[in-house]
Amino acid sequence: MKKFIGIVAAAVVLLLLASPVLAASLGISPSHTELEVPGDGSATANFKVHYFSGDLKVSLVDIPLGVEPEMLHIEPSSEPVEIELTIYGDESLGSQVYDGYVRFLGMSGETVAVAVRVKAKITHIVEGQPVPEPSPEETPVPEAPPPAPPGPPPPATSGTTEWPILPLAGFAAGTAIVITLIVVFARRKRY
């Protein structure tokens, strides 16, 4: 019985000390970029990475151009980390305006932990070819700006706060086990 109680006590301690896996967070600024990329060259885009450390995979969505680097390692920092991406032109595509996104994927091993897309308007210019003007039907209606990257949590004030489920469940299970042990020991001493 003493071994059983020791095992249960160890399990309670492990449950109470276990911490949940922290959710990854990623913020990218600016939230929109516009570039002119020569067909026979490249252009650079500068971004700041907020609230993230680890591997960051970069790609273009709806923009058939090349981007480097495709993978970055972001070191932990209390300040935003500045990154520079190089976007390469392709003369075979001709002059064109691309409306798409720069996609940033925060990786956890081989799994995507968090993703952010930044709106991008890329004007691809090939010498000797005019850039086509969008027709009025193709002109997109301006969208509401995307939400700003998450900031630091607000200071604790009176009001409601949301509790994370996993630590709350672990605390409840540990409390139930401790109460059960107290009842078992209290009954034992009576008899």
Side-chain angles (χ1 to χ4, degrees):
M1 187 63 169
K2 287 183 180 181
K3 284 184 181 179
F4 175 73
I5 292 171
I7 291 171
V8 171
V12 169
V13 168
L14 287 175
L15 279 174
L16 294 175
L17 295 179
S19 62
V21 174
L22 296 175
S25 182
L26 172 63
I28 303 289
S29 63
S31 62
H32 181 270
T33 189
E34 291 189 23
L35 289 175
E36 288 188 1
V37 178
D40 62 350
S42 63
T44 58
N46 295 305
F47 295 96
K48 290 185 180 181
V49 179
H50 305 262
Y51 323 112
F52 181 78
S53 63
D55 292 330
L56 191 62
K57 189 173 183 179
V58 180
S59 61
L60 300 176
V61 177
D62 297 332
I63 301 172
L65 302 175
V67 63
E68 283 187 354
E70 292 181 349
M71 184 71 79
L72 297 156
H73 182 75
I74 307 297
E75 293 294 328
S77 174
S78 60
E79 297 294 319
V81 176
E82 294 186 18
I83 62 170
E84 184 176 274
L85 302 179
T86 303
I87 298 175
Y88 294 96
D90 182 349
E91 286 189 317
S92 67
L93 297 174
S95 292
Q96 187 72 23
V97 177
Y98 296 106
D99 285 311
Y101 300 92
V102 180
R103 179 174 49 198
F104 298 89
L105 302 176
M107 306 299 289
S108 176
E110 294 295 317
T111 306
V112 175
V114 64
V116 171
R117 292 189 323 175
V118 172
K119 184 80 173 142
K121 181 177 183 177
I122 307 294
T123 304
H124 185 254
I125 301 170
V126 173
E127 191 173 326
Q129 293 183 5
V131 177
E133 294 292 327
S135 65
E137 299 89 40
E138 294 175 359
T139 305
V141 176
E143 298 177 18
T157 60
S158 62
T160 60
T161 58
E162 193 171 311
W163 284 64
I165 299 296
L166 191 57
L168 192 59
F171 181 73
T175 303
I177 292 171
V178 169
I179 291 172
T180 303
L181 287 174
I182 291 171
V183 169
V184 167
F185 285 130
R187 283 188 176 176
R188 241 175 186 224
K189 290 191 177 193
R190 274 195 232 162
Y191 297 110

